[in-house]
């Protein structure tokens, strides 16, 4: 098991930026792909971005491609989501998650992850 704690959410105006962090503890962080998901009120949880265990491969949802980047620091057991050019439709609770299988490349479905953080609220005002 791994424990995940997100931080960095908040209120920002459209066009602004935020950087989310997800600190991990427990099992060997560096062996697992990580992902970010988000859930807006009344909507299903959706994939946002993922990064492979080594950090060499990343993948993004079409809605955030070109605006968001994902990175990880395995020495600090932390994964980041840099969000630029934020839009009101990016408003959601953002969750980080850890892959259930070690040493995989990026995975994008909720079922691939078995450890979730508590979420951090991101609100983008127009």
């Amino acid at each position: 098991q791994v424990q995940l704690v997100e931080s960095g959410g908040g209120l920002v105006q459209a066009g602004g930026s935020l950087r989310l962090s997800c600190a991990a503890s427990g099992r060997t962080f560096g062996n697992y792909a990580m992902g970010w998901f988000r859930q807006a009120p009344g909507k299903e949880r959706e994939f946002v971005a993922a990064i492979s265990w080594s950090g060499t491969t990343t993948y993004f949802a079409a809605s955030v491609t070109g605006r968001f980047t994902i990175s990880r620091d395995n020495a600090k057991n932390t994964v980041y989501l840099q969000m630029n050019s934020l839009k009101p439709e990016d408003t959601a609770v953002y969750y980080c998650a850890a892959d259930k299988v070690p040493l995989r490349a990026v995975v994008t479905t909720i079922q691939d992850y078995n450890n979730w953080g508590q979420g951090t609220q991101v609100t983008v005002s127009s």
Side-chain angles (χ1 to χ4, degrees):
Q1 285 291 85
V2 61
Q3 291 74 47
L4 303 171
V5 178
E6 302 97 335
S7 61
L11 173 64
V12 64
Q13 288 189 329
S17 298
L18 283 173
R19 188 176 82 153
L20 306 183
S21 299
C22 173
S25 61
R27 69 183 183 193
T28 307
F29 171 79
N31 286 350
Y32 293 85
M34 297 292 294
W36 285 96
F37 291 76
R38 66 187 181 187
Q39 187 165 18
K43 294 189 176 182
E44 298 285 321
R45 190 171 298 190
E46 64 175 6
F47 169 78
V48 175
I51 187 166
S52 62
W53 65 274
S54 63
T56 56
T57 304
T58 59
Y59 189 78
F60 299 90
S63 58
V64 306
T65 296
R67 301 188 297 123
F68 290 13
T69 58
I70 186 171
S71 60
R72 66 189 297 160
D73 185 338
N74 287 346
K76 295 183 178 180
N77 287 358
T78 302
V79 62
Y80 305 96
L81 184 69
Q82 177 67 44
M83 306 185 295
N84 299 327
S85 302
L86 282 161
K87 305 175 181 179
E89 51 264 43
D90 294 318
T91 295
V93 177
Y94 283 70
Y95 299 90
C96 72
D99 191 359
K100 62 176 67 173
V101 178
L103 303 179
R104 290 204 289 188
V106 294
V107 290
T108 63
T109 65
I110 289 175
Q111 292 77 16
D112 287 317
Y113 295 88
N114 65 346
N115 289 279
W116 296 82
Q118 82 290 349
T120 185
Q121 177 70 47
V122 171
T123 303
V124 184
S125 63
S126 57

